[in-house]
Amino acid sequence: MSPFNLETCARPNILALEPYRCARDDYKDDGTNVLLDANENAYGPSLGPSAIAATSSSGSGPEIDLLGLHRYPDPHQRDLKQLVCNLRNTHHHTEKKITPDNMFVGVGSDEAIDALLRCFCVPAQDRILVCPPTYGMYSVSAQVNDVGLVKVPLLPAPSFELDVEKVNQTLSSEKNIKLIYLCSPGNPTGSLIAKGDIRKVLEHPTWNGIVVVDEAYIDFSPEGASLAEWVAEWPNLVVMQTLSKAFGMAGIRLGVAFASAPIAHLLNNLKAPYNISSPTSALASYVFSDEGQSTMRANRGKIVAQRERLLRELPKIKGVGRLRGGTESNFLLFEMLNAEAKPDNVTALKVYETLAENKGVVVRFRGKEHGCLGCLRITVGTEEEVTRFLKALEKTLAEVNGHTIEVSKDEDKKETEASSVIA
Ligand SMILES: *Cc1c(COP(=O)(O)O)cnc(C)c1O
């Protein structure tokens, strides 16, 4: 028997919560009703003809119902949730199916991260467990909610595996840990966490808490890697995903959480009723259409090709050290070396600043994160962007470390050809 018990794990005030109800929960709108229940403006949105012309499609792109924007959006989003379920019911991990009852949708995964904290953690009493190096929002959101942090670092690079023995010991010995946030693939590690390790935490013999797996980058990982549908098998597993990364929709702010129906129910009770705007919902539905899916797969293919190219080209640049972590995301974590060929934060920070200030290329300095000494996190861009980045990095490292660039034979030849053309 799993020691998990929602009635003692969730906060009592959340369990007792009567969710906000709108009149349209009682009386479904069939489009013919006169809607005088929500103090909306029946004369319509304050959008003049030029705003409408500027924002509506030219006939080919997605139609967003601009003229319907004076109405509140759907608080439940069941149609959108069904589309997400259709995508994630892959039967790689269970024969069971997840349904809209297993889902929460929020303003990015950031809302789900926060909602879980508010659902389970009593401020100034309960704590969460995180495994550095990891995504910064777990600790920021914990701090906002006055929830303490317990850290069990991942095993050293390059594997960045979960230290599952230490995690489970900590869950036994430390009091009041309600949630563990696992990032898979990790940010900034780019490594998937082994399913067997997640299972070991889920099978903890005494811990009454929730395992949250953040799959923000899962669509860059091998087919079948997502554990979303696995929530049908575990009462205390939550899986988060987002449209901000592989789907290229960071601007609409849509994140989802999959959970057992009772947990999803609590999260839906505590959220603001109209958290998902109608344009966000409409655009998200396009993403889950066949066309949206094939566009995602095509763009992902291009990103993976550029990721492979970075993996080939970066080690050839003098001053670039080892790849740390995995290759299961749309970014890579690489060491920057000093003139003594040692990974070094002063060098990495200087490279980071020089790239941004003098070369117009912005990457992320991660050298202060646990086990990431001297590391930059590089997002995989377009072919042109990667070309520009590689050139800029080579020059910058030469400047920072005071060495000259060795021109390879190929490039030598190209340059001679180019100069002979000019000549
Ligand atoms: C980018 C990212 C997210 C996405 O957050 P949104 O609020 O959905 O944009 C979530 N988790 C991790 C680990 C990320 O790197």
Side-chain angles (χ1 to χ4, degrees), residues 122-181:
V122 176
Q125 173 186 308
D126 290 333
R127 298 186 290 171
I128 65 168
L129 190 152
V130 296
C131 302
T134 193
Y135 186 45
M137 273 309 287
Y138 314 136
S139 57
V140 171
S141 202
Q143 199 172 351
V144 167
N145 288 289
D146 196 12
V147 164
L149 211 58
V150 178
K151 295 180 184 175
V152 177
L154 296 172
L155 293 171
S159 81
F160 283 123
E161 283 175 277
L162 191 67
D163 190 348
V164 68
E165 310 304 326
K166 187 83 186 289
V167 165
N168 275 352
Q169 273 168 25
T170 306
L171 294 176
S172 301
S173 63
E174 296 285 328
K175 276 201 181 49
N176 297 332
I177 298 178
K178 286 296 184 62
L179 299 167
I180 165 168
Y181 283 99

Coordinates of all heavy atoms in Angstrom, one line a residue, residues 122-181:
V122 N 1.9 24.2 3.3 CA 1.5 25.2 4.3 C 2.7 26.2 4.4 O 3.8 25.8 4.7 CB 1.1 24.6 5.6 CG1 0.8 25.7 6.7 CG2 0.0 23.6 5.5
P123 N 2.4 27.5 4.2 CA 3.6 28.5 4.3 C 4.2 28.4 5.7 O 3.6 28.1 6.7 CB 2.9 29.8 4.1 CG 1.7 29.5 3.3 CD 1.2 28.2 3.7
A124 N 5.5 28.6 5.7 CA 6.3 28.7 6.9 C 6.3 27.3 7.7 O 6.7 27.3 8.8 CB 5.8 29.8 7.9
Q125 N 5.9 26.3 7.0 CA 5.9 25.0 7.6 C 6.4 23.9 6.7 O 7.4 23.2 7.0 CB 4.5 24.6 8.1 CG 4.3 23.2 8.6 CD 2.9 22.8 8.9 OE1 2.2 23.5 9.6 NE2 2.4 21.7 8.3
D126 N 5.7 23.8 5.5 CA 6.1 22.7 4.6 C 7.3 23.1 3.7 O 7.6 24.3 3.6 CB 4.9 22.3 3.8 CG 3.8 21.6 4.6 OD1 4.2 21.0 5.6 OD2 2.6 21.7 4.3
R127 N 7.9 22.1 3.0 CA 9.0 22.3 2.2 C 8.9 21.5 0.9 O 8.1 20.6 0.8 CB 10.3 21.9 3.0 CG 10.5 22.8 4.2 CD 11.8 22.5 4.9 NE 11.8 21.1 5.5 CZ 12.9 20.6 6.0 NH1 14.0 21.2 6.0 NH2 12.8 19.4 6.5
I128 N 9.8 21.9 -0.1 CA 9.9 21.1 -1.3 C 11.3 20.6 -1.4 O 12.2 21.2 -0.9 CB 9.5 22.0 -2.5 CG1 10.4 23.1 -2.8 CG2 8.0 22.5 -2.4 CD1 10.3 23.8 -4.2
L129 N 11.4 19.6 -2.2 CA 12.8 19.0 -2.5 C 13.1 19.3 -4.0 O 12.3 19.0 -4.8 CB 12.8 17.5 -2.2 CG 14.2 16.9 -2.2 CD1 14.2 15.7 -1.2 CD2 14.7 16.4 -3.5
V130 N 14.3 19.9 -4.2 CA 14.7 20.1 -5.6 C 16.1 19.5 -5.7 O 16.8 19.3 -4.8 CB 14.8 21.6 -6.0 CG1 13.4 22.2 -6.0 CG2 15.7 22.4 -5.1
C131 N 16.5 19.2 -7.0 CA 17.7 18.5 -7.3 C 18.6 19.4 -8.2 O 18.6 19.2 -9.4 CB 17.4 17.2 -7.9 SG 16.4 16.1 -6.9
P132 N 19.5 20.3 -7.6 CA 20.3 21.1 -8.5 C 21.4 20.4 -9.2 O 21.8 19.3 -8.7 CB 20.9 22.1 -7.5 CG 20.4 21.7 -6.1 CD 19.6 20.5 -6.2
P133 N 21.8 20.9 -10.4 CA 21.3 22.1 -11.0 C 20.0 21.9 -11.7 O 19.7 20.9 -12.3 CB 22.4 22.3 -12.1 CG 22.9 21.0 -12.5 CD 22.8 20.2 -11.2
T134 N 19.1 22.8 -11.4 CA 17.7 22.7 -12.0 C 17.1 24.0 -12.3 O 17.7 25.1 -12.1 CB 16.9 21.9 -11.0 OG1 15.7 21.4 -11.6 CG2 16.5 22.6 -9.7
Y135 N 15.9 24.0 -12.7 CA 15.1 25.2 -13.1 C 14.9 26.1 -11.9 O 14.5 25.7 -10.9 CB 13.8 24.7 -13.7 CG 12.9 25.8 -14.3 CD1 13.4 26.8 -15.2 CD2 11.6 25.8 -14.1 CE1 12.6 27.7 -15.8 CE2 10.7 26.8 -14.7 CZ 11.3 27.7 -15.5 OH 10.5 28.6 -16.1
G136 N 15.1 27.4 -12.1 CA 15.1 28.4 -11.0 C 13.7 28.7 -10.5 O 13.6 29.1 -9.4
M137 N 12.7 28.4 -11.3 CA 11.3 28.8 -10.8 C 10.8 28.1 -9.6 O 10.0 28.5 -8.9 CB 10.3 28.8 -12.0 CG 10.2 30.0 -12.8 SD 10.0 31.6 -12.0 CE 8.3 31.4 -11.4
Y138 N 11.3 26.8 -9.4 CA 10.8 26.0 -8.3 C 11.2 26.8 -7.0 O 10.3 26.9 -6.1 CB 11.4 24.6 -8.2 CG 11.4 23.9 -9.6 CD1 12.5 23.1 -10.0 CD2 10.3 23.9 -10.4 CE1 12.5 22.5 -11.2 CE2 10.3 23.3 -11.6 CZ 11.4 22.5 -12.0 OH 11.4 21.9 -13.2
S139 N 12.4 27.3 -6.9 CA 12.8 27.9 -5.6 C 12.2 29.3 -5.6 O 11.9 29.8 -4.5 CB 14.3 27.9 -5.5 OG 14.9 28.5 -6.6
V140 N 12.1 30.0 -6.7 CA 11.5 31.4 -6.6 C 10.0 31.2 -6.2 O 9.6 32.0 -5.3 CB 11.5 32.0 -8.0 CG1 10.7 33.3 -8.1 CG2 13.0 32.3 -8.4
S141 N 9.3 30.3 -6.8 CA 7.9 30.1 -6.4 C 7.8 29.7 -5.0 O 6.8 30.1 -4.2 CB 7.3 29.1 -7.4 OG 5.9 29.3 -7.4
A142 N 8.7 28.8 -4.5 CA 8.7 28.4 -3.1 C 8.9 29.6 -2.2 O 8.2 29.8 -1.2 CB 9.7 27.3 -2.8
Q143 N 9.8 30.5 -2.5 CA 10.1 31.6 -1.7 C 8.9 32.6 -1.6 O 8.5 33.1 -0.6 CB 11.3 32.4 -2.3 CG 11.9 33.3 -1.2 CD 13.3 33.8 -1.7 OE1 13.8 33.4 -2.8 NE2 13.8 34.8 -1.0
V144 N 8.3 32.8 -2.8 CA 7.1 33.6 -2.8 C 6.0 33.1 -1.9 O 5.3 33.9 -1.2 CB 6.5 33.7 -4.3 CG1 5.1 34.3 -4.3 CG2 7.4 34.5 -5.2
N145 N 5.9 31.8 -1.8 CA 4.9 31.2 -1.0 C 5.4 30.9 0.5 O 4.7 30.2 1.2 CB 4.4 29.9 -1.6 CG 3.5 30.1 -2.8 OD1 2.4 30.6 -2.7 ND2 4.0 29.9 -4.0
D146 N 6.6 31.3 0.8 CA 7.2 31.1 2.1 C 7.2 29.6 2.4 O 6.9 29.1 3.5 CB 6.3 31.8 3.2 CG 7.1 31.9 4.5 OD1 8.3 31.7 4.5 OD2 6.5 32.3 5.5
V147 N 7.7 28.9 1.4 CA 7.9 27.4 1.5 C 9.4 27.1 1.5 O 10.1 27.7 0.6 CB 7.1 26.7 0.4 CG1 7.5 25.3 0.2 CG2 5.6 26.8 0.6
G148 N 9.9 26.3 2.4 CA 11.3 26.0 2.5 C 11.8 25.1 1.4 O 11.0 24.4 0.7
L149 N 13.1 25.0 1.2 CA 13.7 24.3 0.1 C 14.7 23.3 0.7 O 15.5 23.6 1.6 CB 14.5 25.3 -0.7 CG 14.7 25.1 -2.1 CD1 13.4 25.0 -2.9 CD2 15.5 26.3 -2.7
V150 N 14.6 22.0 0.3 CA 15.6 21.0 0.6 C 16.3 20.6 -0.7 O 15.6 20.4 -1.7 CB 15.0 19.8 1.3 CG1 16.0 18.7 1.6 CG2 14.2 20.2 2.6
K151 N 17.6 20.6 -0.7 CA 18.3 20.3 -1.9 C 19.1 19.0 -1.8 O 19.8 18.7 -0.9 CB 19.4 21.4 -2.2 CG 18.7 22.7 -2.5 CD 19.8 23.8 -2.8 CE 19.1 25.1 -3.0 NZ 20.1 26.2 -3.1
V152 N 18.9 18.1 -2.8 CA 19.7 16.9 -3.0 C 20.2 17.0 -4.4 O 19.5 16.7 -5.4 CB 18.8 15.6 -2.8 CG1 19.7 14.4 -3.1 CG2 18.3 15.6 -1.4
P153 N 21.5 17.4 -4.6 CA 22.0 17.6 -5.9 C 22.0 16.3 -6.8 O 22.0 15.2 -6.3 CB 23.5 18.0 -5.7 CG 23.5 18.5 -4.3 CD 22.5 17.8 -3.5
L154 N 21.9 16.5 -8.1 CA 22.0 15.4 -9.0 C 23.4 14.8 -8.9 O 24.3 15.5 -8.4 CB 21.7 15.9 -10.5 CG 20.3 16.5 -10.7 CD1 20.3 17.1 -12.1 CD2 19.3 15.4 -10.6
L155 N 23.6 13.6 -9.4 CA 25.0 13.1 -9.4 C 25.8 13.9 -10.4 O 25.3 14.5 -11.3 CB 24.9 11.6 -9.8 CG 24.2 10.7 -8.8 CD1 24.0 9.3 -9.3 CD2 25.0 10.7 -7.5
P156 N 27.1 13.8 -10.2 CA 28.0 14.8 -11.0 C 27.8 14.6 -12.6 O 27.4 13.5 -13.0 CB 29.4 14.4 -10.6 CG 29.2 13.7 -9.3 CD 27.9 13.1 -9.3
A157 N 28.1 15.7 -13.3 CA 28.2 15.6 -14.7 C 29.2 14.6 -15.2 O 30.1 14.3 -14.4 CB 28.6 17.0 -15.3
P158 N 29.1 14.0 -16.3 CA 28.1 14.4 -17.3 C 26.7 13.6 -17.2 O 25.8 14.0 -18.0 CB 28.8 14.0 -18.7 CG 29.6 12.8 -18.3 CD 30.1 13.0 -16.9
S159 N 26.6 12.7 -16.3 CA 25.4 11.9 -16.3 C 24.2 12.7 -15.7 O 23.1 12.7 -16.2 CB 25.5 10.6 -15.5 OG 25.4 10.9 -14.1
F160 N 24.5 13.5 -14.7 CA 23.5 14.3 -14.0 C 22.3 13.4 -13.6 O 21.1 13.8 -13.8 CB 23.1 15.5 -14.8 CG 24.0 16.7 -14.7 CD1 24.5 17.2 -15.9 CD2 24.4 17.3 -13.5 CE1 25.4 18.3 -15.9 CE2 25.3 18.4 -13.5 CZ 25.8 18.9 -14.7
E161 N 22.6 12.2 -13.2 CA 21.5 11.3 -12.8 C 20.9 11.7 -11.5 O 21.6 12.3 -10.6 CB 22.0 9.9 -12.7 CG 22.2 9.2 -14.1 CD 22.8 7.8 -13.9 OE1 24.0 7.7 -13.8 OE2 22.0 6.9 -13.9
L162 N 19.7 11.2 -11.2 CA 19.1 11.5 -9.9 C 19.8 10.6 -8.9 O 20.1 9.4 -9.1 CB 17.6 11.0 -10.0 CG 16.7 11.4 -8.8 CD1 16.5 12.9 -8.7 CD2 15.3 10.7 -8.9
D163 N 20.2 11.2 -7.7 CA 20.8 10.5 -6.6 C 19.6 9.9 -5.8 O 19.2 10.4 -4.8 CB 21.6 11.5 -5.8 CG 22.4 10.7 -4.7 OD1 22.2 9.5 -4.5 OD2 23.3 11.4 -4.1
V164 N 19.1 8.8 -6.4 CA 17.8 8.3 -5.9 C 17.9 7.8 -4.4 O 17.0 8.0 -3.6 CB 17.2 7.3 -6.8 CG1 17.9 6.0 -6.9 CG2 15.7 7.1 -6.5
E165 N 19.0 7.2 -4.1 CA 19.2 6.7 -2.7 C 19.1 7.9 -1.7 O 18.4 7.9 -0.7 CB 20.5 6.0 -2.5 CG 20.9 5.0 -3.5 CD 19.8 3.9 -3.6 OE1 19.2 3.6 -2.6 OE2 19.6 3.4 -4.7
K166 N 19.9 9.0 -2.0 CA 19.9 10.2 -1.2 C 18.6 10.9 -1.1 O 18.1 11.3 -0.1 CB 21.0 11.1 -1.8 CG 21.3 12.3 -0.9 CD 22.3 12.0 0.2 CE 22.5 13.2 1.1 NZ 23.3 14.3 0.4
V167 N 17.9 10.9 -2.3 CA 16.5 11.5 -2.3 C 15.6 10.8 -1.4 O 14.9 11.4 -0.5 CB 16.0 11.5 -3.7 CG1 14.5 11.8 -3.8 CG2 16.7 12.6 -4.6
N168 N 15.6 9.4 -1.5 CA 14.7 8.7 -0.7 C 15.0 8.7 0.8 O 14.1 8.8 1.7 CB 14.6 7.2 -1.2 CG 13.6 7.1 -2.3 OD1 12.8 8.0 -2.6 ND2 13.5 5.9 -2.9
Q169 N 16.3 8.7 1.1 CA 16.8 8.9 2.5 C 16.3 10.2 3.1 O 15.8 10.3 4.2 CB 18.3 8.9 2.6 CG 18.9 7.6 2.8 CD 20.5 7.7 2.5 OE1 21.1 8.8 2.8 NE2 21.1 6.6 2.1
T170 N 16.4 11.3 2.3 CA 16.0 12.6 2.7 C 14.5 12.7 2.9 O 14.1 13.3 3.9 CB 16.5 13.7 1.6 OG1 17.9 13.5 1.4 CG2 16.2 15.1 2.1
L171 N 13.8 12.0 2.0 CA 12.3 12.0 2.2 C 11.9 11.3 3.5 O 10.9 11.6 4.1 CB 11.6 11.4 1.0 CG 11.8 12.2 -0.3 CD1 11.1 11.4 -1.5 CD2 11.1 13.6 -0.2
S172 N 12.8 10.3 3.9 CA 12.5 9.6 5.2 C 12.9 10.5 6.4 O 12.2 10.5 7.4 CB 13.3 8.3 5.2 OG 13.0 7.5 4.2
S173 N 14.0 11.2 6.3 CA 14.6 11.8 7.5 C 14.1 13.2 7.7 O 14.0 13.7 8.8 CB 16.1 11.7 7.4 OG 16.6 12.5 6.3
E174 N 13.9 14.0 6.6 CA 13.5 15.4 6.8 C 11.9 15.5 6.9 O 11.2 14.8 6.2 CB 13.9 16.2 5.6 CG 15.5 16.3 5.4 CD 16.1 17.2 6.4 OE1 15.5 18.2 6.8 OE2 17.2 16.9 6.8
K175 N 11.5 16.4 7.8 CA 10.1 16.5 8.0 C 9.4 17.5 7.0 O 10.1 18.4 6.5 CB 9.8 17.1 9.4 CG 9.8 16.1 10.5 CD 9.1 16.8 11.7 CE 9.1 15.9 12.9 NZ 10.4 15.3 13.3
N176 N 8.2 17.3 6.7 CA 7.3 18.3 6.0 C 7.7 18.5 4.6 O 7.4 19.6 4.1 CB 7.3 19.6 6.8 CG 6.7 19.5 8.2 OD1 5.8 18.6 8.4 ND2 7.1 20.3 9.1
I177 N 8.3 17.5 3.9 CA 8.6 17.7 2.5 C 7.3 17.2 1.8 O 6.9 16.1 1.9 CB 9.8 16.9 2.0 CG1 11.1 17.5 2.7 CG2 9.9 17.1 0.5 CD1 12.4 16.8 2.3
K178 N 6.7 18.1 1.0 CA 5.4 17.7 0.4 C 5.5 17.5 -1.1 O 4.8 16.7 -1.7 CB 4.4 18.9 0.6 CG 3.8 19.0 2.0 CD 3.0 17.8 2.3 CE 2.4 17.9 3.7 NZ 1.4 19.0 3.8
L179 N 6.5 18.1 -1.7 CA 6.7 18.0 -3.2 C 8.1 17.7 -3.5 O 9.0 18.3 -2.9 CB 6.3 19.3 -3.9 CG 4.8 19.8 -3.8 CD1 4.8 21.2 -4.3 CD2 3.9 18.9 -4.6
I180 N 8.4 17.0 -4.6 CA 9.7 16.9 -5.1 C 9.6 17.3 -6.6 O 8.7 16.8 -7.3 CB 10.4 15.6 -4.9 CG1 11.7 15.5 -5.9 CG2 9.6 14.4 -5.1 CD1 12.6 14.3 -5.5
Y181 N 10.3 18.3 -7.0 CA 10.3 18.8 -8.4 C 11.5 18.2 -9.2 O 12.7 18.4 -8.8 CB 10.4 20.3 -8.5 CG 9.1 21.0 -8.2 CD1 8.9 21.6 -6.9 CD2 8.1 21.2 -9.2 CE1 7.7 22.2 -6.6 CE2 7.0 21.8 -8.9 CZ 6.8 22.4 -7.6 OH 5.6 23.0 -7.3

